[in-house]
Amino acid sequence: MVTEQEKSAATPAAPTSAAIFDLDRTLLSGASGPIIGEALRHVGLLTTPSSTLESLAFGVFNLIGETWPSMLVTRQGARAARGWSVDLVRAAAERAAEPLAEAVLPYAQQMIAEHRAQGRLLVMATTTPEDLIRPLAEALGFHYDGTIDGEFVWGKGKARSVAEWAFRRGIDLDTSYAYSDSYYDVPLLSIVGYPRAVNPDPRMMAVAALRRWPVVHFDVPSGVPKFAGMEPQRVLMMLAHPQLFPWMRLDIEGSDLIPRHGPAVLVANHRSYIDPIAIGLLLAKVGRPVRFLGKKEVFDAPMVGDLVKAL
């Protein structure tokens, strides 16, 4: 079931709406398991080191999403936790909360802030046990979180749990949003008025196309498409080599001054149509896609405008 994590004692007098988020491969780019596993090992609840098989399993999950065998393992893992010290589990959760919050994708944080500003309740519906995920939910300012309490919160069970919770709280699902990557969350997305397929696995992508659900990626701005997990800039970077421009001679210096991670502002001197190529070669050398400003006329131009928007 979906249990309440109250932020105030007040009960809504009228039906309201909610924004319901899955965790793995939705709020995060991949699985939360490695971070939680490290925290459990730190407090001594897991005594075996991370294995190659475990890393492989998480790698497959990050690539293609949930599968029936992977969720069977997850269910068994939840049962294996029976008998663990609740205090140690909560200590591990506190340790994992900060790195998990830092791993939340940038445009997921923006979307959370927008829903909060519009007065929607924030809900995290996940199979991860409550004691392990509650500190993260609190750090992100969520009102409610999904827990293993009764029915397993997965697939149709997750949809039923959210529907029961919404009925008890007077939540209007027709005005609510739901975000997930997984095909197994199709039942959940089907019960809300505004479903969103986030970084969808192959089957979810097909369902979203058939049902005309918007597809979003929380690691890139709205409107930037991705194909096989790659945005257009990444594809162009693979082709950006000076050898492809034999009529140009470029001396690139100082590329090491551009940080590989974190915020940075690049200012270019734009004097000719060749400048974007020079800048593109620099960015390809650094390996970071950028977001750029452009005049309205650039985006309105036929064909060129569509390409620029995609970039």
Side-chain angles (χ1 to χ4, degrees):
M1 61 182 290
V2 176
T3 60
E4 300 180 2
Q5 181 184 323
E6 297 289 358
K7 289 297 180 182
S8 70
T11 300
T16 185
S17 62
I20 305 157
F21 293 87
D22 181 38
L23 177 60
D24 296 335
R25 294 188 83 251
T26 300
L27 290 176
L28 308 179
S29 62
S32 59
I35 295 176
I36 293 175
E38 187 280 330
L40 291 172
R41 289 184 175 91
H42 180 81
V43 301
L45 288 174
L46 290 180
T47 56
T48 57
S50 177
S51 65
T52 302
L53 182 61
E54 180 180 329
S55 299
L56 178 62
F58 284 129
V60 171
F61 173 84
N62 292 343
L63 182 64
I64 65 173
E66 292 178 347
T67 62
W68 183 263
S70 71
M71 294 311 299
L72 180 62
V73 172
T74 299
R75 187 189 295 261
Q76 295 304 317
R79 291 173 176 168
R82 181 176 297 170
W84 280 2
S85 164
V86 173
D87 290 338
L88 287 179
V89 169
R90 289 174 177 169
E94 292 290 346
R95 180 180 178 83
E98 183 175 350
L100 283 173
E102 291 176 351
V104 172
L105 295 169
Y107 295 97
Q109 296 174 357
Q110 178 178 317
M111 188 60 63
I112 289 169
E114 290 179 7
H115 284 302
R116 182 184 293 114
Q118 293 169 8
R120 296 188 183 93
L121 295 179
L122 298 173
V123 182
M124 188 185 303
T126 173
T127 57
T128 307
E130 177 183 10
D131 285 327
L132 278 175
I133 213 65
R134 182 177 290 273
L136 173 63
E138 292 175 345
L140 296 178
F142 274 59
H143 299 85
Y144 307 92
D145 65 278
T147 69
I148 299 179
D149 182 7
E151 187 171 14
F152 196 59
V153 184
W154 181 67
K156 294 180 179 179
K158 182 185 288 189
R160 284 192 292 267
S161 297
V162 169
E164 291 171 5
W165 165 81
F167 177 77
R168 292 197 310 270
R169 295 293 302 170
I171 301 299
D172 183 4
L173 290 178
D174 287 338
T175 61
S176 294
Y177 291 72
Y179 300 84
S180 180
D181 69 289
S182 175
Y183 168 77
Y184 294 102
D185 277 340
V186 167
L188 171 63
L189 269 61
S190 298
I191 65 174
V192 299
Y194 300 96
R196 299 290 186 267
V198 182
N199 184 32
D201 63 34
R203 288 182 291 178
M204 174 64 95
M205 177 69 82
V207 172
L210 289 172
R211 300 194 181 185
R212 298 185 178 181
W213 289 347
V215 174
V216 298
H217 298 273
F218 283 152
D219 58 338
V220 296
S222 176
V224 175
K226 296 184 77 173
F227 306 97
M230 295 183 66
E231 61 172 294
Q233 277 198 55
R234 294 286 189 186
V235 177
L236 288 179
M237 285 180 180
M238 298 170 62
L239 305 174
H241 299 284
Q243 295 85 347
L244 297 178
F245 305 92
W247 61 90
M248 297 174 56
R249 291 187 61 185
L250 293 175
D251 293 323
I252 299 177
E253 298 179 357
S255 61
D256 57 305
L257 299 178
I258 301 176
R260 266 48 179 178
H261 305 283
V265 177
L266 302 180
V267 181
N269 185 23
H270 183 26
R271 300 184 62 185
S272 72
Y273 290 114
I274 207 69
D275 294 339
I277 297 177
I279 297 168
L281 291 173
L282 166 64
L283 296 173
K285 184 175 182 179
V286 175
R288 289 193 65 175
V290 297
R291 310 305 163 201
F292 51 87
L293 300 175
K295 295 190 299 182
K296 180 177 182 297
E297 289 79 6
V298 173
F299 296 100
D300 289 343
M303 296 182 64
V304 174
D306 293 332
L307 175 61
V308 172
K309 289 177 183 177
L311 296 175

